[in-house]
Amino acid sequence: MKIRMNVNGNWREDDVEPRTLLVHYLRDVAGLTGTHVGCETSICGACTVLLNQEAVKSCTVFAVQANGAQVTTIEGLAREGKLHPLQQSFWEEHGLQCGFCTPGMILVAHQLLCRNPHPTQEEIRKGLEGNLCRCTGYQHIVKAVQSAASKMSATEPVRAVAAAG
Ligand code: FES
Ligand code: FES
């Protein structure tokens, strides 16, 4: 089947099998390997991307279901060589160790801050509860999201990732 999708601001058209999962399309066809594959059963959240600005686990979505949609992966957050405040804060606050969960954590945190620019610790933990980390104990991830929230409210409104074209 032919599908057309806006990935990180660029429209692309590809032929895919109807059974191709969005995560495999992004990694194997679009070459965006920042989206990780963990459990493939909707538990870990490592495969989280934004689909029309909603965080989804891309191991549970067929690529054909994203036909015509706007998809943002971790590769789509930085602008002009500058890390997104969430990426910067995860770096500064040691919100990652092995990094396997990190792209998914950052994208689900992006959704959280779009919906609630000033979340409490509890709200952050609740917002990230569908994403698992086996390394950090979560405290540094929560601090990173809090730090990103302050940076974003100080310098810019939460930036929706705009589709091009
Ligand atoms: S790989 Fe998709 S939820 Fe774990
Ligand atoms: S940093 Fe290793 S799984 Fe989260």
Side-chain angles (χ1 to χ4, degrees):
M1 294 181 68
K2 192 169 283 302
I3 57 170
R4 187 165 182 273
M5 198 182 301
N6 185 307
V7 182
N8 298 333
N10 300 308
W11 284 100
R12 51 178 303 139
E13 262 186 29
D14 295 287
D15 282 313
V16 297
E17 292 186 36
R19 66 189 172 99
T20 302
L21 295 173
L22 180 59
V23 67
H24 292 143
Y25 169 78
L26 292 169
R27 289 177 58 85
D28 302 336
V29 180
L32 298 168
T33 53
T35 303
H36 292 158
V37 186
C39 63
E40 284 194 288
T41 53
S42 187
I43 295 171
C44 74
C47 63
T48 303
V49 299
L50 301 179
L51 177 61
N52 293 333
Q53 305 298 332
E54 298 276 327
V56 298
K57 293 179 175 175
S58 59
C59 73
T60 61
V61 178
F62 290 115
V64 294
Q65 292 177 290
N67 187 28
Q70 179 191 348
V71 174
T72 304
T73 69
I74 191 67
E75 291 91 342
L77 287 190
R79 286 282 183 279
E80 296 161 3
K82 193 165 179 284
L83 293 178
H84 186 280
L86 273 162
Q87 294 171 305
Q88 186 69 33
S89 296
F90 269 68
W91 172 260
E92 292 170 357
E93 300 294 337
H94 310 290
L96 64 147
Q97 289 181 27
C98 78
F100 196 81
C101 70
T102 312
M105 283 288 181
I106 287 179
L107 288 165
V108 80
H110 188 284
Q111 171 181 267
L112 171 69
L113 294 183
C114 283
R115 293 177 176 174
N116 178 3
H118 304 289
T120 62
Q121 272 212 30
E122 194 180 329
E123 288 168 336
I124 293 171
R125 288 180 184 278
K126 181 89 183 143
L128 305 186
E129 70 184 2
N131 289 58
L132 304 181
C133 175
R134 64 189 169 186
C135 304
T136 63
Y138 299 98
Q139 187 56 36
H140 289 287
I141 291 175
V142 173
K143 279 175 69 178
V145 176
Q146 285 180 309
S147 166
S150 333
K151 282 188 183 75
M152 289 157 85
S153 59
T155 59
E156 55 179 324
V158 173
R159 187 173 64 204
V161 184

